[in-house]
Amino acid sequence: MVYLNGEFIPKEQAQVSVMDRGFLFGDGVYEVIPVYSGKIFRLDEHLERLQNSLNSVQINNPYSPQQWREILHELLGFSSESSQSLYLQISRGADVSRKHSFDTLSPTVFIESSPLTPKTKTELEIGYRAMSQPDFRWQRCDIKSTSLLANIMYSQQAKQNQVEEVILHRDQLITEGATSNVFIVKDNVLFTHPTGNHILSGITRDLVLESAKHCHLSINESALTLTELLSADEVWISSSTREVMPIVQVDNQLINNGVIGKHWPQVYDYYQGLKHV
Ligand code: PDD
């Protein structure tokens, strides 16, 4: 079952107009929210980021936080999976003709839930490979927009090169991954690009920073260069679906001789604890 504009219906029956601006322009915003043991993880933070995205593009939020909560829980009730990933998207809605500018429309709200199976610690401990690319995205990466053409191009490149993620750099500075935030550990300091318009302010990013603090890492929210990343002690990526994942090779360079570092297991364990508080 999916949720579409006020109704819970089978996915095959869910249809939107060809004049929907989400279809024509990618004119919409979205969220991906993990659900663990039936509990929506950090819902308030996700709803707040959703509101920020909506404000940035002048789409009215059709629901109050309480209404969102009720709709999401009702949708979750249709599945017996205890861990799920909620995808919710709001497009500006359908107009009568195609034009770039917009009038006030009735937003299209679509929500679906799919099973979420995060990788186990044993699987993650092997470490993953990534590649680097110049960040050619626009300058409003803080908006969680459904216009994801650049991210799609990078993700396809990752798939074709059989790596987990593409790590992006703008003017030599590491921004984030195509679908994740990036962390670099060097000499017991955790570096990550500051929030702002060049990255998406990841909900998992905040949780990784919180976990790292408890694991006695110093935090420095400033961007490092690709050269610095390649000589780091540890590199991690984070997202709601990946949690915190160690990267042991970027391009042809092994990180920490290709083995995960000492901080990742501690941060990983702390993060797992946060899921069940
Ligand atoms: N993407 N940066 C980008 C560009 C992302 O697409 C994502 C997540 C993140 C991490 O954000 P969070 O920790 O809130 O998931 C950072 C989601 C998972 C997606 O597009 O499917």
Side-chain angles (χ1 to χ4, degrees), residues 108-166:
T108 304
V109 181
F110 168 65
I111 315 171
E112 79 164 325
S113 182
S114 21
L116 176 67
T117 38
K119 291 198 161 53
T120 62
K121 192 174 185 185
T122 313
E123 284 169 323
L124 290 167
E125 273 167 351
I126 302 158
Y128 288 80
R129 293 189 304 133
M131 59 190 280
S132 67
Q133 283 291 298
D135 192 343
F136 56 65
R137 299 173 304 161
W138 69 333
Q139 307 262 2
R140 289 305 308 273
C141 300
D142 53 317
I143 303 172
K144 202 159 170 60
S145 161
T146 55
S147 309
L148 286 171
L149 211 40
N151 309 63
I152 287 166
M153 288 163 73
Y154 290 128
S155 293
Q156 189 61 15
Q157 240 182 325
K159 182 179 165 185
Q160 284 163 350
N161 286 279
Q162 296 175 308
V163 298
E164 176 68 23
E165 179 63 306
V166 177

Side-chain angles (χ1 to χ4, degrees), residues 89 144 188 206 246 251 261:
Q89 96 158 50
K144 202 159 170 60
N188 301 318
D206 285 345
D251 301 328

Side-chain angles (χ1 to χ4, degrees), residues 18-85:
V18 289
M19 294 314 293
D20 195 283
R21 292 180 61 100
F23 175 63
L24 292 176
F25 295 112
D27 184 357
V29 301
Y30 75 108
E31 278 296 323
V32 176
I33 317 177
V35 178
Y36 300 116
S37 311
K39 191 167 165 269
I40 308 178
F41 191 49
R42 303 291 158 144
L43 178 58
D44 292 348
E45 289 83 346
H46 281 278
L47 290 179
E48 194 181 317
R49 185 173 65 184
L50 178 67
Q51 186 63 58
N52 290 339
S53 295
L54 289 166
N55 291 347
S56 299
V57 299
Q58 296 179 49
I59 297 177
N60 287 330
N61 193 337
Y63 307 127
S64 67
Q66 185 53 28
Q67 286 171 316
W68 277 113
R69 191 168 286 115
E70 284 165 16
I71 294 166
L72 295 175
H73 278 113
E74 197 168 342
L75 181 66
L76 289 174
F78 289 103
S79 168
S80 55
E81 302 277 345
S82 73
S83 292
Q84 300 181 47
S85 164

